[in-house]
Amino acid sequence: MAYVLLQLVGKPSLLPANDTYRYARASLELLGDSPEQAHRTALAAYCRDQANYEVRRIQLDPLALAQDKIPSVEQRAEACRTKWAQGLAPHHPRYERIFEVRPGFAVAAVPFVAALGADSGLLVTSVLFTVAGGLLAFALLRAAGVPAPFAAGGQAFYYACPIGWWGGFGLTEGPVLALAMGALLGAWWLLSRRLAAGTVLLSASLVTGTAVKYSGALLLAAALTAAAVVCLVLVRDTRHRGTVLLAALSGAVTAGIALLSAWYSLPGSGETLQDTFTQHYEYPDVATPWSLLAELNGHYWTQWSQEQARSPWLLAAITGGAWALFRHSRALGWIVVAAGATGVATEIAHPVAGQGDRLMVAVWIIAVIGLPLLLHQFAQSRVARVPTST
């Protein structure tokens, strides 16, 4: 509840996202609006939020205040609507198709868009998914044997870390990460021999995730498949039907998404690279996207490492979390680290400096689950050291 209230208080500070306009337009069309009607309504919501954001910033400009040059919100909104009357750029059909083939978020937002409007409806949808993700983090920690106070700390950290930040935008990060937590809980239940519950939750999370963002679901399913295989090979206690079922289900989803992508010619890695290196198809396709990606990654990770050296909190949180996970349970460590590694894989595929924190946000899952375990282990060690009275 506290997280929801904080999002409501902080909503005026949000910069509206181009993607949100597209998801809002899709939700409105599902509600029965014509494409033109949906465009106008979604654009009006985007421009209103954009105008509010711009005026807030100008209000902090001492010179604008002294010269009485602070515009009205309506002036800014009208200018925005006029500028983008034909739709927010980019307009290229290849860019539009990226959103057309992942309808899950727009579908989930339909009742909230109908009740609250385009911008608030999408925001509430994402926030509610993020709330659910935190609850699933709590449930996973409890299922792993962590006492309730420490599990509640993990839930709170889920909301306080960048997962909660990005989950407060009208974007797919909230649903994608909540569904990842659902898949992790299902995977852990399978590893713990809760076959029926684990099968249902894992399958539902991955299939729903495919509708929301199939590229993310593909990475997660492949990561869980690899983690299950590693457990079967290296972790003796996991050599049972639940682990085999985890590998089979995750592998089936991985193969299913790959076949679906090929059958319907869905935008894949090659198309994503062209989008990256042509500024959303505004420039001609590049001839060597993979070599450019390798070169860009070299620059990106060098500079990222330098930034982390100055403020290594992310690395510290992940390292501490991973250490605690494997110390608690190697099986839990493998599946959680595998899920978190999808954030790194996403960043390698899209090494865009301005979007780095958002693209790599899944890596925080390792800290969300691992750090409460670390605190619990520390508390247990302190209790063990306290001498008993005679």
Side-chain angles (χ1 to χ4, degrees), residues 11-12 14-16 40-56 72-81 116-121:
K11 183 181 183 299
L14 288 183
L15 175 65
R40 287 197 300 269
T41 304
L43 182 66
Y46 171 88
C47 288
R48 182 172 59 251
D49 288 346
Q50 179 73 27
N52 278 316
Y53 182 83
E54 290 175 351
V55 170
R56 280 168 55 87
S72 70
V73 171
E74 184 49 44
Q75 285 175 325
R76 286 279 176 162
E78 178 60 32
C80 173
R81 291 193 296 269
L116 303 171
D119 53 348
S120 297

PDB file of all heavy atoms in Angstrom, residues 11-12 14-16 40-56 72-81 116-121:
ATOM      1  N   LYS A  11       3.504  10.885  -9.158  1.00  0.00           N
ATOM      2  CA  LYS A  11       3.098  10.845 -10.563  1.00  0.00           C
ATOM      3  C   LYS A  11       3.385  12.144 -11.325  1.00  0.00           C
ATOM      4  O   LYS A  11       3.821  12.092 -12.489  1.00  0.00           O
ATOM      5  CB  LYS A  11       1.613  10.507 -10.683  1.00  0.00           C
ATOM      6  CG  LYS A  11       1.136  10.365 -12.131  1.00  0.00           C
ATOM      7  CD  LYS A  11      -0.349  10.047 -12.206  1.00  0.00           C
ATOM      8  CE  LYS A  11      -0.779   9.851 -13.658  1.00  0.00           C
ATOM      9  NZ  LYS A  11      -0.567  11.038 -14.497  1.00  0.00           N
ATOM     10  N   PRO A  12       3.177  13.343 -10.737  1.00  0.00           N
ATOM     11  CA  PRO A  12       3.452  14.563 -11.522  1.00  0.00           C
ATOM     12  C   PRO A  12       4.898  14.697 -11.981  1.00  0.00           C
ATOM     13  O   PRO A  12       5.184  15.448 -12.916  1.00  0.00           O
ATOM     14  CB  PRO A  12       3.092  15.690 -10.535  1.00  0.00           C
ATOM     15  CG  PRO A  12       2.107  15.074  -9.611  1.00  0.00           C
ATOM     16  CD  PRO A  12       2.561  13.649  -9.441  1.00  0.00           C
ATOM     17  N   LEU A  14       6.698  12.341 -13.360  1.00  0.00           N
ATOM     18  CA  LEU A  14       7.024  11.371 -14.401  1.00  0.00           C
ATOM     19  C   LEU A  14       7.116  12.029 -15.768  1.00  0.00           C
ATOM     20  O   LEU A  14       6.223  12.795 -16.166  1.00  0.00           O
ATOM     21  CB  LEU A  14       5.963  10.265 -14.463  1.00  0.00           C
ATOM     22  CG  LEU A  14       5.936   9.251 -13.319  1.00  0.00           C
ATOM     23  CD1 LEU A  14       4.861   8.203 -13.602  1.00  0.00           C
ATOM     24  CD2 LEU A  14       7.278   8.587 -13.135  1.00  0.00           C
ATOM     25  N   LEU A  15       8.180  11.689 -16.481  1.00  0.00           N
ATOM     26  CA  LEU A  15       8.288  12.091 -17.880  1.00  0.00           C
ATOM     27  C   LEU A  15       7.560  11.056 -18.717  1.00  0.00           C
ATOM     28  O   LEU A  15       7.878   9.870 -18.652  1.00  0.00           O
ATOM     29  CB  LEU A  15       9.758  12.164 -18.299  1.00  0.00           C
ATOM     30  CG  LEU A  15      10.036  12.449 -19.785  1.00  0.00           C
ATOM     31  CD1 LEU A  15       9.554  13.851 -20.150  1.00  0.00           C
ATOM     32  CD2 LEU A  15      11.519  12.306 -20.094  1.00  0.00           C
ATOM     33  N   PRO A  16       6.541  11.446 -19.487  1.00  0.00           N
ATOM     34  CA  PRO A  16       5.807  10.454 -20.280  1.00  0.00           C
ATOM     35  C   PRO A  16       6.703   9.793 -21.312  1.00  0.00           C
ATOM     36  O   PRO A  16       7.611  10.417 -21.861  1.00  0.00           O
ATOM     37  CB  PRO A  16       4.693  11.275 -20.936  1.00  0.00           C
ATOM     38  CG  PRO A  16       5.214  12.669 -20.971  1.00  0.00           C
ATOM     39  CD  PRO A  16       6.058  12.815 -19.737  1.00  0.00           C
ATOM     40  N   ARG A  40      -5.882  10.210 -31.212  1.00  0.00           N
ATOM     41  CA  ARG A  40      -6.137  11.544 -30.640  1.00  0.00           C
ATOM     42  C   ARG A  40      -6.198  11.483 -29.112  1.00  0.00           C
ATOM     43  O   ARG A  40      -5.639  12.347 -28.421  1.00  0.00           O
ATOM     44  CB  ARG A  40      -7.429  12.133 -31.204  1.00  0.00           C
ATOM     45  CG  ARG A  40      -7.339  12.594 -32.643  1.00  0.00           C
ATOM     46  CD  ARG A  40      -8.489  13.529 -32.980  1.00  0.00           C
ATOM     47  NE  ARG A  40      -9.776  12.863 -32.796  1.00  0.00           N
ATOM     48  CZ  ARG A  40     -10.433  12.198 -33.733  1.00  0.00           C
ATOM     49  NH1 ARG A  40      -9.901  12.071 -34.941  1.00  0.00           N
ATOM     50  NH2 ARG A  40     -11.608  11.650 -33.480  1.00  0.00           N
ATOM     51  N   THR A  41      -6.875  10.472 -28.591  1.00  0.00           N
ATOM     52  CA  THR A  41      -7.015  10.356 -27.134  1.00  0.00           C
ATOM     53  C   THR A  41      -5.669  10.059 -26.477  1.00  0.00           C
ATOM     54  O   THR A  41      -5.307  10.659 -25.458  1.00  0.00           O
ATOM     55  CB  THR A  41      -8.021   9.253 -26.779  1.00  0.00           C
ATOM     56  OG1 THR A  41      -9.266   9.529 -27.418  1.00  0.00           O
ATOM     57  CG2 THR A  41      -8.231   9.178 -25.274  1.00  0.00           C
ATOM     58  N   ALA A  42      -4.927   9.127 -27.062  1.00  0.00           N
ATOM     59  CA  ALA A  42      -3.615   8.775 -26.507  1.00  0.00           C
ATOM     60  C   ALA A  42      -2.654   9.953 -26.603  1.00  0.00           C
ATOM     61  O   ALA A  42      -1.867  10.202 -25.679  1.00  0.00           O
ATOM     62  CB  ALA A  42      -3.047   7.564 -27.230  1.00  0.00           C
ATOM     63  N   LEU A  43      -2.702  10.673 -27.722  1.00  0.00           N
ATOM     64  CA  LEU A  43      -1.825  11.829 -27.887  1.00  0.00           C
ATOM     65  C   LEU A  43      -2.171  12.932 -26.895  1.00  0.00           C
ATOM     66  O   LEU A  43      -1.275  13.570 -26.324  1.00  0.00           O
ATOM     67  CB  LEU A  43      -1.909  12.362 -29.321  1.00  0.00           C
ATOM     68  CG  LEU A  43      -1.002  13.554 -29.627  1.00  0.00           C
ATOM     69  CD1 LEU A  43       0.462  13.146 -29.539  1.00  0.00           C
ATOM     70  CD2 LEU A  43      -1.309  14.131 -31.020  1.00  0.00           C
ATOM     71  N   ALA A  44      -3.467  13.161 -26.686  1.00  0.00           N
ATOM     72  CA  ALA A  44      -3.881  14.194 -25.730  1.00  0.00           C
ATOM     73  C   ALA A  44      -3.370  13.864 -24.330  1.00  0.00           C
ATOM     74  O   ALA A  44      -2.891  14.748 -23.604  1.00  0.00           O
ATOM     75  CB  ALA A  44      -5.403  14.318 -25.728  1.00  0.00           C
ATOM     76  N   ALA A  45      -3.447  12.578 -23.950  1.00  0.00           N
ATOM     77  CA  ALA A  45      -2.947  12.178 -22.632  1.00  0.00           C
ATOM     78  C   ALA A  45      -1.432  12.358 -22.553  1.00  0.00           C
ATOM     79  O   ALA A  45      -0.903  12.869 -21.555  1.00  0.00           O
ATOM     80  CB  ALA A  45      -3.322  10.716 -22.362  1.00  0.00           C
ATOM     81  N   TYR A  46      -0.734  11.945 -23.601  1.00  0.00           N
ATOM     82  CA  TYR A  46       0.732  12.097 -23.626  1.00  0.00           C
ATOM     83  C   TYR A  46       1.113  13.574 -23.539  1.00  0.00           C
ATOM     84  O   TYR A  46       1.990  13.956 -22.753  1.00  0.00           O
ATOM     85  CB  TYR A  46       1.285  11.482 -24.913  1.00  0.00           C
ATOM     86  CG  TYR A  46       2.756  11.763 -25.141  1.00  0.00           C
ATOM     87  CD1 TYR A  46       3.731  10.927 -24.608  1.00  0.00           C
ATOM     88  CD2 TYR A  46       3.171  12.878 -25.879  1.00  0.00           C
ATOM     89  CE1 TYR A  46       5.074  11.186 -24.802  1.00  0.00           C
ATOM     90  CE2 TYR A  46       4.513  13.141 -26.072  1.00  0.00           C
ATOM     91  CZ  TYR A  46       5.467  12.293 -25.538  1.00  0.00           C
ATOM     92  OH  TYR A  46       6.793  12.573 -25.729  1.00  0.00           O
ATOM     93  N   CYS A  47       0.467  14.410 -24.337  1.00  0.00           N
ATOM     94  CA  CYS A  47       0.819  15.836 -24.370  1.00  0.00           C
ATOM     95  C   CYS A  47       0.478  16.537 -23.064  1.00  0.00           C
ATOM     96  O   CYS A  47       1.204  17.450 -22.638  1.00  0.00           O
ATOM     97  CB  CYS A  47       0.108  16.516 -25.545  1.00  0.00           C
ATOM     98  SG  CYS A  47       0.796  16.071 -27.160  1.00  0.00           S
ATOM     99  N   ARG A  48      -0.594  16.129 -22.415  1.00  0.00           N
ATOM    100  CA  ARG A  48      -0.930  16.720 -21.115  1.00  0.00           C
ATOM    101  C   ARG A  48       0.167  16.407 -20.094  1.00  0.00           C
ATOM    102  O   ARG A  48       0.620  17.284 -19.354  1.00  0.00           O
ATOM    103  CB  ARG A  48      -2.275  16.188 -20.642  1.00  0.00           C
ATOM    104  CG  ARG A  48      -2.741  16.789 -19.316  1.00  0.00           C
ATOM    105  CD  ARG A  48      -4.165  16.376 -18.983  1.00  0.00           C
ATOM    106  NE  ARG A  48      -4.299  14.922 -18.895  1.00  0.00           N
ATOM    107  CZ  ARG A  48      -4.938  14.171 -19.776  1.00  0.00           C
ATOM    108  NH1 ARG A  48      -5.490  14.733 -20.843  1.00  0.00           N
ATOM    109  NH2 ARG A  48      -5.035  12.858 -19.616  1.00  0.00           N
ATOM    110  N   ASP A  49       0.613  15.159 -20.061  1.00  0.00           N
ATOM    111  CA  ASP A  49       1.680  14.785 -19.129  1.00  0.00           C
ATOM    112  C   ASP A  49       3.003  15.447 -19.496  1.00  0.00           C
ATOM    113  O   ASP A  49       3.765  15.887 -18.624  1.00  0.00           O
ATOM    114  CB  ASP A  49       1.860  13.268 -19.121  1.00  0.00           C
ATOM    115  CG  ASP A  49       0.717  12.553 -18.422  1.00  0.00           C
ATOM    116  OD1 ASP A  49      -0.062  13.234 -17.731  1.00  0.00           O
ATOM    117  OD2 ASP A  49       0.601  11.322 -18.575  1.00  0.00           O
ATOM    118  N   GLN A  50       3.284  15.534 -20.792  1.00  0.00           N
ATOM    119  CA  GLN A  50       4.504  16.192 -21.254  1.00  0.00           C
ATOM    120  C   GLN A  50       4.493  17.666 -20.875  1.00  0.00           C
ATOM    121  O   GLN A  50       5.504  18.208 -20.407  1.00  0.00           O
ATOM    122  CB  GLN A  50       4.630  16.046 -22.770  1.00  0.00           C
ATOM    123  CG  GLN A  50       5.858  16.702 -23.384  1.00  0.00           C
ATOM    124  CD  GLN A  50       7.136  15.957 -23.085  1.00  0.00           C
ATOM    125  OE1 GLN A  50       7.113  14.742 -22.869  1.00  0.00           O
ATOM    126  NE2 GLN A  50       8.258  16.658 -23.053  1.00  0.00           N
ATOM    127  N   ALA A  51       3.353  18.316 -21.046  1.00  0.00           N
ATOM    128  CA  ALA A  51       3.233  19.735 -20.708  1.00  0.00           C
ATOM    129  C   ALA A  51       3.414  19.950 -19.210  1.00  0.00           C
ATOM    130  O   ALA A  51       4.111  20.895 -18.785  1.00  0.00           O
ATOM    131  CB  ALA A  51       1.879  20.257 -21.164  1.00  0.00           C
ATOM    132  N   ASN A  52       2.792  19.117 -18.402  1.00  0.00           N
ATOM    133  CA  ASN A  52       2.960  19.226 -16.951  1.00  0.00           C
ATOM    134  C   ASN A  52       4.418  19.084 -16.553  1.00  0.00           C
ATOM    135  O   ASN A  52       4.935  19.829 -15.718  1.00  0.00           O
ATOM    136  CB  ASN A  52       2.119  18.157 -16.244  1.00  0.00           C
ATOM    137  CG  ASN A  52       0.668  18.566 -16.093  1.00  0.00           C
ATOM    138  OD1 ASN A  52       0.368  19.699 -15.724  1.00  0.00           O
ATOM    139  ND2 ASN A  52      -0.244  17.652 -16.380  1.00  0.00           N
ATOM    140  N   TYR A  53       5.099  18.127 -17.173  1.00  0.00           N
ATOM    141  CA  TYR A  53       6.505  17.890 -16.867  1.00  0.00           C
ATOM    142  C   TYR A  53       7.355  19.096 -17.268  1.00  0.00           C
ATOM    143  O   TYR A  53       8.217  19.545 -16.492  1.00  0.00           O
ATOM    144  CB  TYR A  53       6.978  16.638 -17.600  1.00  0.00           C
ATOM    145  CG  TYR A  53       8.412  16.257 -17.311  1.00  0.00           C
ATOM    146  CD1 TYR A  53       8.732  15.520 -16.182  1.00  0.00           C
ATOM    147  CD2 TYR A  53       9.442  16.642 -18.172  1.00  0.00           C
ATOM    148  CE1 TYR A  53      10.053  15.158 -15.913  1.00  0.00           C
ATOM    149  CE2 TYR A  53      10.766  16.287 -17.907  1.00  0.00           C
ATOM    150  CZ  TYR A  53      11.055  15.550 -16.776  1.00  0.00           C
ATOM    151  OH  TYR A  53      12.351  15.213 -16.511  1.00  0.00           O
ATOM    152  N   GLU A  54       7.123  19.642 -18.448  1.00  0.00           N
ATOM    153  CA  GLU A  54       7.909  20.770 -18.922  1.00  0.00           C
ATOM    154  C   GLU A  54       7.679  22.014 -18.063  1.00  0.00           C
ATOM    155  O   GLU A  54       8.632  22.738 -17.724  1.00  0.00           O
ATOM    156  CB  GLU A  54       7.559  21.070 -20.375  1.00  0.00           C
ATOM    157  CG  GLU A  54       8.048  20.001 -21.352  1.00  0.00           C
ATOM    158  CD  GLU A  54       7.588  20.265 -22.763  1.00  0.00           C
ATOM    159  OE1 GLU A  54       6.755  21.180 -22.956  1.00  0.00           O
ATOM    160  OE2 GLU A  54       8.048  19.554 -23.682  1.00  0.00           O
ATOM    161  N   VAL A  55       6.421  22.285 -17.713  1.00  0.00           N
ATOM    162  CA  VAL A  55       6.121  23.479 -16.909  1.00  0.00           C
ATOM    163  C   VAL A  55       6.732  23.345 -15.519  1.00  0.00           C
ATOM    164  O   VAL A  55       7.248  24.330 -14.960  1.00  0.00           O
ATOM    165  CB  VAL A  55       4.595  23.700 -16.832  1.00  0.00           C
ATOM    166  CG1 VAL A  55       4.251  24.777 -15.806  1.00  0.00           C
ATOM    167  CG2 VAL A  55       4.049  24.096 -18.210  1.00  0.00           C
ATOM    168  N   ARG A  56       6.699  22.163 -14.956  1.00  0.00           N
ATOM    169  CA  ARG A  56       7.348  21.945 -13.652  1.00  0.00           C
ATOM    170  C   ARG A  56       8.834  22.300 -13.714  1.00  0.00           C
ATOM    171  O   ARG A  56       9.373  22.924 -12.795  1.00  0.00           O
ATOM    172  CB  ARG A  56       7.188  20.487 -13.216  1.00  0.00           C
ATOM    173  CG  ARG A  56       5.851  20.138 -12.612  1.00  0.00           C
ATOM    174  CD  ARG A  56       5.679  18.639 -12.495  1.00  0.00           C
ATOM    175  NE  ARG A  56       6.761  18.019 -11.749  1.00  0.00           N
ATOM    176  CZ  ARG A  56       6.799  17.870 -10.423  1.00  0.00           C
ATOM    177  NH1 ARG A  56       5.778  18.320  -9.711  1.00  0.00           N
ATOM    178  NH2 ARG A  56       7.811  17.281  -9.825  1.00  0.00           N
ATOM    179  N   SER A  72       1.651  28.378 -19.637  1.00  0.00           N
ATOM    180  CA  SER A  72       0.596  27.579 -19.033  1.00  0.00           C
ATOM    181  C   SER A  72       0.701  26.142 -19.532  1.00  0.00           C
ATOM    182  O   SER A  72       1.258  25.878 -20.605  1.00  0.00           O
ATOM    183  CB  SER A  72      -0.778  28.147 -19.386  1.00  0.00           C
ATOM    184  OG  SER A  72      -1.058  27.943 -20.769  1.00  0.00           O
ATOM    185  N   VAL A  73       0.162  25.236 -18.765  1.00  0.00           N
ATOM    186  CA  VAL A  73       0.168  23.826 -19.164  1.00  0.00           C
ATOM    187  C   VAL A  73      -0.596  23.648 -20.471  1.00  0.00           C
ATOM    188  O   VAL A  73      -0.165  22.898 -21.357  1.00  0.00           O
ATOM    189  CB  VAL A  73      -0.441  22.960 -18.048  1.00  0.00           C
ATOM    190  CG1 VAL A  73      -0.654  21.521 -18.529  1.00  0.00           C
ATOM    191  CG2 VAL A  73       0.454  22.971 -16.811  1.00  0.00           C
ATOM    192  N   GLU A  74      -1.715  24.354 -20.618  1.00  0.00           N
ATOM    193  CA  GLU A  74      -2.527  24.203 -21.827  1.00  0.00           C
ATOM    194  C   GLU A  74      -1.788  24.686 -23.067  1.00  0.00           C
ATOM    195  O   GLU A  74      -1.907  24.097 -24.144  1.00  0.00           O
ATOM    196  CB  GLU A  74      -3.844  24.948 -21.674  1.00  0.00           C
ATOM    197  CG  GLU A  74      -4.802  24.779 -22.841  1.00  0.00           C
ATOM    198  CD  GLU A  74      -4.995  23.316 -23.252  1.00  0.00           C
ATOM    199  OE1 GLU A  74      -5.150  22.450 -22.374  1.00  0.00           O
ATOM    200  OE2 GLU A  74      -4.964  23.034 -24.481  1.00  0.00           O
ATOM    201  N   GLN A  75      -1.004  25.755 -22.924  1.00  0.00           N
ATOM    202  CA  GLN A  75      -0.213  26.237 -24.064  1.00  0.00           C
ATOM    203  C   GLN A  75       0.764  25.159 -24.532  1.00  0.00           C
ATOM    204  O   GLN A  75       0.898  24.898 -25.727  1.00  0.00           O
ATOM    205  CB  GLN A  75       0.561  27.504 -23.666  1.00  0.00           C
ATOM    206  CG  GLN A  75      -0.280  28.767 -23.573  1.00  0.00           C
ATOM    207  CD  GLN A  75       0.546  29.940 -23.064  1.00  0.00           C
ATOM    208  OE1 GLN A  75       1.438  29.779 -22.225  1.00  0.00           O
ATOM    209  NE2 GLN A  75       0.249  31.127 -23.566  1.00  0.00           N
ATOM    210  N   ARG A  76       1.448  24.576 -23.580  1.00  0.00           N
ATOM    211  CA  ARG A  76       2.413  23.539 -23.918  1.00  0.00           C
ATOM    212  C   ARG A  76       1.725  22.307 -24.504  1.00  0.00           C
ATOM    213  O   ARG A  76       2.217  21.690 -25.448  1.00  0.00           O
ATOM    214  CB  ARG A  76       3.201  23.145 -22.665  1.00  0.00           C
ATOM    215  CG  ARG A  76       4.215  24.179 -22.243  1.00  0.00           C
ATOM    216  CD  ARG A  76       5.472  24.036 -23.086  1.00  0.00           C
ATOM    217  NE  ARG A  76       6.443  25.054 -22.777  1.00  0.00           N
ATOM    218  CZ  ARG A  76       7.732  24.993 -23.092  1.00  0.00           C
ATOM    219  NH1 ARG A  76       8.188  23.957 -23.775  1.00  0.00           N
ATOM    220  NH2 ARG A  76       8.551  25.960 -22.784  1.00  0.00           N
ATOM    221  N   ALA A  77       0.598  21.943 -23.937  1.00  0.00           N
ATOM    222  CA  ALA A  77      -0.121  20.763 -24.429  1.00  0.00           C
ATOM    223  C   ALA A  77      -0.618  20.983 -25.853  1.00  0.00           C
ATOM    224  O   ALA A  77      -0.533  20.084 -26.704  1.00  0.00           O
ATOM    225  CB  ALA A  77      -1.289  20.441 -23.499  1.00  0.00           C
ATOM    226  N   GLU A  78      -1.121  22.172 -26.127  1.00  0.00           N
ATOM    227  CA  GLU A  78      -1.611  22.477 -27.481  1.00  0.00           C
ATOM    228  C   GLU A  78      -0.468  22.440 -28.490  1.00  0.00           C
ATOM    229  O   GLU A  78      -0.621  21.914 -29.604  1.00  0.00           O
ATOM    230  CB  GLU A  78      -2.274  23.849 -27.490  1.00  0.00           C
ATOM    231  CG  GLU A  78      -2.782  24.305 -28.857  1.00  0.00           C
ATOM    232  CD  GLU A  78      -3.830  23.373 -29.437  1.00  0.00           C
ATOM    233  OE1 GLU A  78      -4.584  22.771 -28.660  1.00  0.00           O
ATOM    234  OE2 GLU A  78      -3.870  23.244 -30.692  1.00  0.00           O
ATOM    235  N   ALA A  79       0.683  22.972 -28.115  1.00  0.00           N
ATOM    236  CA  ALA A  79       1.843  22.934 -29.011  1.00  0.00           C
ATOM    237  C   ALA A  79       2.264  21.493 -29.292  1.00  0.00           C
ATOM    238  O   ALA A  79       2.624  21.141 -30.416  1.00  0.00           O
ATOM    239  CB  ALA A  79       2.996  23.719 -28.384  1.00  0.00           C
ATOM    240  N   CYS A  80       2.206  20.655 -28.283  1.00  0.00           N
ATOM    241  CA  CYS A  80       2.563  19.238 -28.435  1.00  0.00           C
ATOM    242  C   CYS A  80       1.580  18.538 -29.371  1.00  0.00           C
ATOM    243  O   CYS A  80       1.984  17.796 -30.272  1.00  0.00           O
ATOM    244  CB  CYS A  80       2.591  18.576 -27.060  1.00  0.00           C
ATOM    245  SG  CYS A  80       2.819  16.776 -27.100  1.00  0.00           S
ATOM    246  N   ARG A  81       0.288  18.792 -29.177  1.00  0.00           N
ATOM    247  CA  ARG A  81      -0.725  18.145 -30.022  1.00  0.00           C
ATOM    248  C   ARG A  81      -0.587  18.574 -31.477  1.00  0.00           C
ATOM    249  O   ARG A  81      -0.765  17.778 -32.401  1.00  0.00           O
ATOM    250  CB  ARG A  81      -2.131  18.458 -29.504  1.00  0.00           C
ATOM    251  CG  ARG A  81      -2.472  17.798 -28.178  1.00  0.00           C
ATOM    252  CD  ARG A  81      -3.959  17.895 -27.883  1.00  0.00           C
ATOM    253  NE  ARG A  81      -4.389  19.273 -27.705  1.00  0.00           N
ATOM    254  CZ  ARG A  81      -4.431  19.911 -26.544  1.00  0.00           C
ATOM    255  NH1 ARG A  81      -4.039  19.289 -25.431  1.00  0.00           N
ATOM    256  NH2 ARG A  81      -4.842  21.158 -26.461  1.00  0.00           N
ATOM    257  N   LEU A 116     -10.026   4.905 -15.954  1.00  0.00           N
ATOM    258  CA  LEU A 116      -9.185   6.011 -15.483  1.00  0.00           C
ATOM    259  C   LEU A 116      -8.618   6.884 -16.583  1.00  0.00           C
ATOM    260  O   LEU A 116      -7.998   7.910 -16.299  1.00  0.00           O
ATOM    261  CB  LEU A 116      -8.031   5.446 -14.641  1.00  0.00           C
ATOM    262  CG  LEU A 116      -8.427   4.601 -13.430  1.00  0.00           C
ATOM    263  CD1 LEU A 116      -7.199   3.927 -12.829  1.00  0.00           C
ATOM    264  CD2 LEU A 116      -9.134   5.446 -12.396  1.00  0.00           C
ATOM    265  N   GLY A 117      -8.760   6.475 -17.836  1.00  0.00           N
ATOM    266  CA  GLY A 117      -8.158   7.227 -18.929  1.00  0.00           C
ATOM    267  C   GLY A 117      -6.860   6.600 -19.383  1.00  0.00           C
ATOM    268  O   GLY A 117      -6.318   5.697 -18.734  1.00  0.00           O
ATOM    269  N   ALA A 118      -6.348   7.100 -20.490  1.00  0.00           N
ATOM    270  CA  ALA A 118      -5.211   6.460 -21.155  1.00  0.00           C
ATOM    271  C   ALA A 118      -3.953   6.462 -20.303  1.00  0.00           C
ATOM    272  O   ALA A 118      -3.325   5.415 -20.097  1.00  0.00           O
ATOM    273  CB  ALA A 118      -4.943   7.143 -22.492  1.00  0.00           C
ATOM    274  N   ASP A 119      -3.557   7.614 -19.799  1.00  0.00           N
ATOM    275  CA  ASP A 119      -2.278   7.685 -19.081  1.00  0.00           C
ATOM    276  C   ASP A 119      -2.361   7.026 -17.707  1.00  0.00           C
ATOM    277  O   ASP A 119      -1.547   6.167 -17.356  1.00  0.00           O
ATOM    278  CB  ASP A 119      -1.799   9.133 -18.960  1.00  0.00           C
ATOM    279  CG  ASP A 119      -2.857  10.050 -18.347  1.00  0.00           C
ATOM    280  OD1 ASP A 119      -4.023   9.637 -18.233  1.00  0.00           O
ATOM    281  OD2 ASP A 119      -2.497  11.190 -17.990  1.00  0.00           O
ATOM    282  N   SER A 120      -3.378   7.381 -16.919  1.00  0.00           N
ATOM    283  CA  SER A 120      -3.512   6.815 -15.574  1.00  0.00           C
ATOM    284  C   SER A 120      -3.799   5.324 -15.617  1.00  0.00           C
ATOM    285  O   SER A 120      -3.340   4.564 -14.764  1.00  0.00           O
ATOM    286  CB  SER A 120      -4.615   7.536 -14.798  1.00  0.00           C
ATOM    287  OG  SER A 120      -4.288   8.898 -14.606  1.00  0.00           O
ATOM    288  N   GLY A 121      -4.564   4.884 -16.622  1.00  0.00           N
ATOM    289  CA  GLY A 121      -4.886   3.467 -16.725  1.00  0.00           C
ATOM    290  C   GLY A 121      -3.658   2.610 -16.911  1.00  0.00           C
ATOM    291  O   GLY A 121      -3.501   1.560 -16.277  1.00  0.00           O
TER     292      GLY A 121
END
